[in-house]
Amino acid sequence: VLCAVLLCCGPMLAGCRQVTFFPAVLTLPAGGSATFFCNISMENDSGSEYSLNWYKETNHSQAQKIAEISRNNPQTKTEKYLLTNHTPAFKIEILNLHQNDSGSYYCGLITFFEPDKVMESNRSQLVVTAAPEKTNATDEPEMEEGNPLDHIKAVLLGILLLGGTVVLLIFGYLTVMYRRGDVQKPPNKNMPAEEKPPVVSMSTVDYGVLEFQWDQRTQVPPETRPVDQTEYATIIFAEEKPVTPERGKKHQD
């Protein structure tokens, strides 16, 4: 009974055909894609040629053909629809959904060289809702702003490290030059001279030469004149003592 109601069987058909369209209802957000399948069940398929048309109805208005694919075509793609042949099933994808894509969809089987050339499937409903608000929409700018801040922090840290290194090098150079200047600095004239060790008075011995000559009046023949002789004597001078009253009195006595 169901086959007689839904399908048209002609005298040239060896069996009956059935066209189904599913899923029955799809509710999807805008920006995504919707996928429907059109399945053709055949008994004793004679290999006749056919094609599938997809239709859309909006508010029970007149149906509008939106896509088509033939039996021998593996795939058909447009800007809005992608049709794929998986005989006996055919897939249609509605891309980049908008809210005006909402409506009723179905497929129609178009057969050639047969009396009943058009068989329509059941209707499926597509509901396209508004795109969900992106919870991280406000976070992305913060992240984008955070990246430059991190970059600036890294640059400032590098500058500080470089500046510290330069300061340390300058400080070390000045320290070395200051120490080198102290080593080569001449002694200050105002500095007290080194103390000389105390001089210790000691008695000294002076040597003198005394010459004793013979009396010039005594004439000695040159033959018998003795050789001049030099006599040496050592005279030790006692240390002079200051003259005190007592010593002067004794001297007078």
Side-chain angles (χ1 to χ4, degrees), residues 188-210:
N188 192 355
K189 295 180 180 180
N190 296 327
M191 294 179 63
E194 297 181 357
E195 297 181 358
K196 296 182 180 181
V199 178
V200 180
S201 61
M202 297 179 62
S203 300
T204 59
V205 179
D206 295 335
Y207 294 90
V209 178
L210 297 179

PDB file of all heavy atoms in Angstrom, residues 188-210:
ATOM      1  N   ASN A 188     105.331  62.347  47.715  1.00  0.00           N
ATOM      2  CA  ASN A 188     104.925  63.700  48.038  1.00  0.00           C
ATOM      3  C   ASN A 188     106.035  64.412  48.796  1.00  0.00           C
ATOM      4  O   ASN A 188     106.657  63.850  49.702  1.00  0.00           O
ATOM      5  CB  ASN A 188     103.652  63.674  48.887  1.00  0.00           C
ATOM      6  CG  ASN A 188     103.031  65.054  49.016  1.00  0.00           C
ATOM      7  OD1 ASN A 188     103.601  66.045  48.555  1.00  0.00           O
ATOM      8  ND2 ASN A 188     101.859  65.088  49.636  1.00  0.00           N
ATOM      9  N   LYS A 189     106.301  65.675  48.388  1.00  0.00           N
ATOM     10  CA  LYS A 189     107.358  66.437  49.044  1.00  0.00           C
ATOM     11  C   LYS A 189     107.009  66.772  50.473  1.00  0.00           C
ATOM     12  O   LYS A 189     107.899  66.980  51.298  1.00  0.00           O
ATOM     13  CB  LYS A 189     107.620  67.730  48.267  1.00  0.00           C
ATOM     14  CG  LYS A 189     108.169  67.490  46.874  1.00  0.00           C
ATOM     15  CD  LYS A 189     108.411  68.803  46.161  1.00  0.00           C
ATOM     16  CE  LYS A 189     108.963  68.559  44.764  1.00  0.00           C
ATOM     17  NZ  LYS A 189     109.204  69.827  44.052  1.00  0.00           N
ATOM     18  N   ASN A 190     105.727  66.836  50.762  1.00  0.00           N
ATOM     19  CA  ASN A 190     105.311  67.179  52.111  1.00  0.00           C
ATOM     20  C   ASN A 190     105.417  66.019  53.078  1.00  0.00           C
ATOM     21  O   ASN A 190     105.246  66.189  54.279  1.00  0.00           O
ATOM     22  CB  ASN A 190     103.861  67.676  52.094  1.00  0.00           C
ATOM     23  CG  ASN A 190     103.729  68.960  51.288  1.00  0.00           C
ATOM     24  OD1 ASN A 190     104.651  69.780  51.255  1.00  0.00           O
ATOM     25  ND2 ASN A 190     102.576  69.130  50.636  1.00  0.00           N
ATOM     26  N   MET A 191     105.671  64.855  52.543  1.00  0.00           N
ATOM     27  CA  MET A 191     105.796  63.700  53.431  1.00  0.00           C
ATOM     28  C   MET A 191     107.095  63.802  54.205  1.00  0.00           C
ATOM     29  O   MET A 191     108.127  64.245  53.691  1.00  0.00           O
ATOM     30  CB  MET A 191     105.791  62.397  52.614  1.00  0.00           C
ATOM     31  CG  MET A 191     104.461  62.127  51.916  1.00  0.00           C
ATOM     32  SD  MET A 191     104.506  60.617  50.957  1.00  0.00           S
ATOM     33  CE  MET A 191     104.790  59.444  52.283  1.00  0.00           C
ATOM     34  N   PRO A 192     107.095  63.450  55.477  1.00  0.00           N
ATOM     35  CA  PRO A 192     108.336  63.542  56.290  1.00  0.00           C
ATOM     36  C   PRO A 192     109.406  62.623  55.749  1.00  0.00           C
ATOM     37  O   PRO A 192     109.144  61.522  55.311  1.00  0.00           O
ATOM     38  CB  PRO A 192     107.860  63.126  57.686  1.00  0.00           C
ATOM     39  CG  PRO A 192     106.621  62.303  57.443  1.00  0.00           C
ATOM     40  CD  PRO A 192     105.973  62.899  56.243  1.00  0.00           C
ATOM     41  N   ALA A 193     110.643  63.155  55.754  1.00  0.00           N
ATOM     42  CA  ALA A 193     111.770  62.352  55.274  1.00  0.00           C
ATOM     43  C   ALA A 193     112.039  61.210  56.234  1.00  0.00           C
ATOM     44  O   ALA A 193     111.677  61.238  57.408  1.00  0.00           O
ATOM     45  CB  ALA A 193     113.023  63.230  55.136  1.00  0.00           C
ATOM     46  N   GLU A 194     112.653  60.226  55.674  1.00  0.00           N
ATOM     47  CA  GLU A 194     112.966  59.072  56.507  1.00  0.00           C
ATOM     48  C   GLU A 194     113.976  59.465  57.589  1.00  0.00           C
ATOM     49  O   GLU A 194     114.918  60.214  57.358  1.00  0.00           O
ATOM     50  CB  GLU A 194     113.544  57.950  55.634  1.00  0.00           C
ATOM     51  CG  GLU A 194     112.546  57.434  54.599  1.00  0.00           C
ATOM     52  CD  GLU A 194     113.166  56.323  53.788  1.00  0.00           C
ATOM     53  OE1 GLU A 194     114.354  56.033  54.024  1.00  0.00           O
ATOM     54  OE2 GLU A 194     112.449  55.763  52.932  1.00  0.00           O
ATOM     55  N   GLU A 195     113.689  59.020  58.756  1.00  0.00           N
ATOM     56  CA  GLU A 195     114.575  59.332  59.876  1.00  0.00           C
ATOM     57  C   GLU A 195     115.905  58.607  59.702  1.00  0.00           C
ATOM     58  O   GLU A 195     115.957  57.428  59.405  1.00  0.00           O
ATOM     59  CB  GLU A 195     113.931  58.916  61.195  1.00  0.00           C
ATOM     60  CG  GLU A 195     112.643  59.690  61.482  1.00  0.00           C
ATOM     61  CD  GLU A 195     112.043  59.249  62.818  1.00  0.00           C
ATOM     62  OE1 GLU A 195     112.628  58.343  63.424  1.00  0.00           O
ATOM     63  OE2 GLU A 195     111.019  59.830  63.209  1.00  0.00           O
ATOM     64  N   LYS A 196     116.964  59.386  59.888  1.00  0.00           N
ATOM     65  CA  LYS A 196     118.307  58.808  59.773  1.00  0.00           C
ATOM     66  C   LYS A 196     118.701  58.201  61.109  1.00  0.00           C
ATOM     67  O   LYS A 196     118.343  58.720  62.171  1.00  0.00           O
ATOM     68  CB  LYS A 196     119.314  59.879  59.361  1.00  0.00           C
ATOM     69  CG  LYS A 196     119.013  60.448  57.969  1.00  0.00           C
ATOM     70  CD  LYS A 196     120.055  61.470  57.598  1.00  0.00           C
ATOM     71  CE  LYS A 196     119.774  62.048  56.214  1.00  0.00           C
ATOM     72  NZ  LYS A 196     120.788  63.040  55.813  1.00  0.00           N
ATOM     73  N   PRO A 197     119.446  57.168  61.069  1.00  0.00           N
ATOM     74  CA  PRO A 197     119.863  56.555  62.347  1.00  0.00           C
ATOM     75  C   PRO A 197     120.793  57.500  63.098  1.00  0.00           C
ATOM     76  O   PRO A 197     121.532  58.277  62.508  1.00  0.00           O
ATOM     77  CB  PRO A 197     120.579  55.275  61.888  1.00  0.00           C
ATOM     78  CG  PRO A 197     120.976  55.541  60.477  1.00  0.00           C
ATOM     79  CD  PRO A 197     119.948  56.447  59.921  1.00  0.00           C
ATOM     80  N   PRO A 198     120.718  57.513  64.421  1.00  0.00           N
ATOM     81  CA  PRO A 198     121.589  58.405  65.237  1.00  0.00           C
ATOM     82  C   PRO A 198     123.066  58.115  65.010  1.00  0.00           C
ATOM     83  O   PRO A 198     123.474  56.968  64.822  1.00  0.00           O
ATOM     84  CB  PRO A 198     121.148  58.109  66.670  1.00  0.00           C
ATOM     85  CG  PRO A 198     120.533  56.738  66.598  1.00  0.00           C
ATOM     86  CD  PRO A 198     119.915  56.630  65.258  1.00  0.00           C
ATOM     87  N   VAL A 199     123.812  59.203  64.964  1.00  0.00           N
ATOM     88  CA  VAL A 199     125.260  59.080  64.749  1.00  0.00           C
ATOM     89  C   VAL A 199     125.946  58.807  66.094  1.00  0.00           C
ATOM     90  O   VAL A 199     125.734  59.525  67.087  1.00  0.00           O
ATOM     91  CB  VAL A 199     125.837  60.372  64.130  1.00  0.00           C
ATOM     92  CG1 VAL A 199     127.339  60.254  63.944  1.00  0.00           C
ATOM     93  CG2 VAL A 199     125.130  60.628  62.803  1.00  0.00           C
ATOM     94  N   VAL A 200     126.730  57.797  66.115  1.00  0.00           N
ATOM     95  CA  VAL A 200     127.458  57.410  67.343  1.00  0.00           C
ATOM     96  C   VAL A 200     128.888  57.921  67.232  1.00  0.00           C
ATOM     97  O   VAL A 200     129.594  57.617  66.266  1.00  0.00           O
ATOM     98  CB  VAL A 200     127.443  55.881  67.533  1.00  0.00           C
ATOM     99  CG1 VAL A 200     128.180  55.502  68.780  1.00  0.00           C
ATOM    100  CG2 VAL A 200     125.985  55.395  67.565  1.00  0.00           C
ATOM    101  N   SER A 201     129.269  58.750  68.193  1.00  0.00           N
ATOM    102  CA  SER A 201     130.645  59.290  68.197  1.00  0.00           C
ATOM    103  C   SER A 201     131.616  58.242  68.677  1.00  0.00           C
ATOM    104  O   SER A 201     131.394  57.562  69.672  1.00  0.00           O
ATOM    105  CB  SER A 201     130.718  60.529  69.105  1.00  0.00           C
ATOM    106  OG  SER A 201     130.377  60.168  70.429  1.00  0.00           O
ATOM    107  N   MET A 202     132.684  58.108  67.933  1.00  0.00           N
ATOM    108  CA  MET A 202     133.712  57.125  68.266  1.00  0.00           C
ATOM    109  C   MET A 202     135.078  57.787  68.169  1.00  0.00           C
ATOM    110  O   MET A 202     135.267  58.725  67.385  1.00  0.00           O
ATOM    111  CB  MET A 202     133.639  55.935  67.290  1.00  0.00           C
ATOM    112  CG  MET A 202     132.317  55.167  67.364  1.00  0.00           C
ATOM    113  SD  MET A 202     132.278  53.796  66.189  1.00  0.00           S
ATOM    114  CE  MET A 202     133.631  52.823  66.831  1.00  0.00           C
ATOM    115  N   SER A 203     135.965  57.315  68.934  1.00  0.00           N
ATOM    116  CA  SER A 203     137.350  57.823  68.910  1.00  0.00           C
ATOM    117  C   SER A 203     138.019  57.364  67.650  1.00  0.00           C
ATOM    118  O   SER A 203     137.824  56.243  67.188  1.00  0.00           O
ATOM    119  CB  SER A 203     138.123  57.316  70.131  1.00  0.00           C
ATOM    120  OG  SER A 203     137.495  57.766  71.313  1.00  0.00           O
ATOM    121  N   THR A 204     138.750  58.242  67.051  1.00  0.00           N
ATOM    122  CA  THR A 204     139.466  57.919  65.820  1.00  0.00           C
ATOM    123  C   THR A 204     140.972  58.007  66.051  1.00  0.00           C
ATOM    124  O   THR A 204     141.450  58.693  66.964  1.00  0.00           O
ATOM    125  CB  THR A 204     139.063  58.887  64.704  1.00  0.00           C
ATOM    126  OG1 THR A 204     139.369  60.202  65.124  1.00  0.00           O
ATOM    127  CG2 THR A 204     137.578  58.793  64.402  1.00  0.00           C
ATOM    128  N   VAL A 205     141.673  57.353  65.229  1.00  0.00           N
ATOM    129  CA  VAL A 205     143.135  57.328  65.286  1.00  0.00           C
ATOM    130  C   VAL A 205     143.670  57.959  64.024  1.00  0.00           C
ATOM    131  O   VAL A 205     143.348  57.501  62.931  1.00  0.00           O
ATOM    132  CB  VAL A 205     143.666  55.895  65.444  1.00  0.00           C
ATOM    133  CG1 VAL A 205     145.192  55.913  65.474  1.00  0.00           C
ATOM    134  CG2 VAL A 205     143.115  55.269  66.701  1.00  0.00           C
ATOM    135  N   ASP A 206     144.414  59.019  64.164  1.00  0.00           N
ATOM    136  CA  ASP A 206     145.024  59.700  63.036  1.00  0.00           C
ATOM    137  C   ASP A 206     146.489  59.336  62.966  1.00  0.00           C
ATOM    138  O   ASP A 206     147.193  59.254  63.978  1.00  0.00           O
ATOM    139  CB  ASP A 206     144.881  61.225  63.174  1.00  0.00           C
ATOM    140  CG  ASP A 206     143.424  61.644  63.117  1.00  0.00           C
ATOM    141  OD1 ASP A 206     142.630  60.883  62.510  1.00  0.00           O
ATOM    142  OD2 ASP A 206     143.066  62.702  63.668  1.00  0.00           O
ATOM    143  N   TYR A 207     146.874  59.107  61.755  1.00  0.00           N
ATOM    144  CA  TYR A 207     148.269  58.764  61.529  1.00  0.00           C
ATOM    145  C   TYR A 207     148.971  59.933  60.860  1.00  0.00           C
ATOM    146  O   TYR A 207     148.428  60.542  59.933  1.00  0.00           O
ATOM    147  CB  TYR A 207     148.386  57.510  60.634  1.00  0.00           C
ATOM    148  CG  TYR A 207     147.848  56.266  61.322  1.00  0.00           C
ATOM    149  CD1 TYR A 207     146.516  55.902  61.189  1.00  0.00           C
ATOM    150  CD2 TYR A 207     148.695  55.469  62.092  1.00  0.00           C
ATOM    151  CE1 TYR A 207     146.024  54.783  61.817  1.00  0.00           C
ATOM    152  CE2 TYR A 207     148.207  54.334  62.714  1.00  0.00           C
ATOM    153  CZ  TYR A 207     146.891  53.992  62.586  1.00  0.00           C
ATOM    154  OH  TYR A 207     146.414  52.893  63.198  1.00  0.00           O
ATOM    155  N   GLY A 208     150.179  60.206  61.356  1.00  0.00           N
ATOM    156  CA  GLY A 208     150.979  61.270  60.774  1.00  0.00           C
ATOM    157  C   GLY A 208     152.381  60.772  60.441  1.00  0.00           C
ATOM    158  O   GLY A 208     152.816  59.724  60.903  1.00  0.00           O
ATOM    159  N   VAL A 209     153.043  61.503  59.663  1.00  0.00           N
ATOM    160  CA  VAL A 209     154.403  61.138  59.221  1.00  0.00           C
ATOM    161  C   VAL A 209     155.371  62.194  59.749  1.00  0.00           C
ATOM    162  O   VAL A 209     155.198  63.399  59.505  1.00  0.00           O
ATOM    163  CB  VAL A 209     154.495  61.055  57.696  1.00  0.00           C
ATOM    164  CG1 VAL A 209     155.930  60.719  57.272  1.00  0.00           C
ATOM    165  CG2 VAL A 209     153.521  60.017  57.190  1.00  0.00           C
ATOM    166  N   LEU A 210     156.329  61.734  60.478  1.00  0.00           N
ATOM    167  CA  LEU A 210     157.378  62.620  61.006  1.00  0.00           C
ATOM    168  C   LEU A 210     158.670  62.347  60.261  1.00  0.00           C
ATOM    169  O   LEU A 210     159.068  61.199  60.079  1.00  0.00           O
ATOM    170  CB  LEU A 210     157.596  62.397  62.504  1.00  0.00           C
ATOM    171  CG  LEU A 210     156.386  62.724  63.411  1.00  0.00           C
ATOM    172  CD1 LEU A 210     156.750  62.429  64.882  1.00  0.00           C
ATOM    173  CD2 LEU A 210     155.998  64.169  63.288  1.00  0.00           C
TER     174      LEU A 210
END
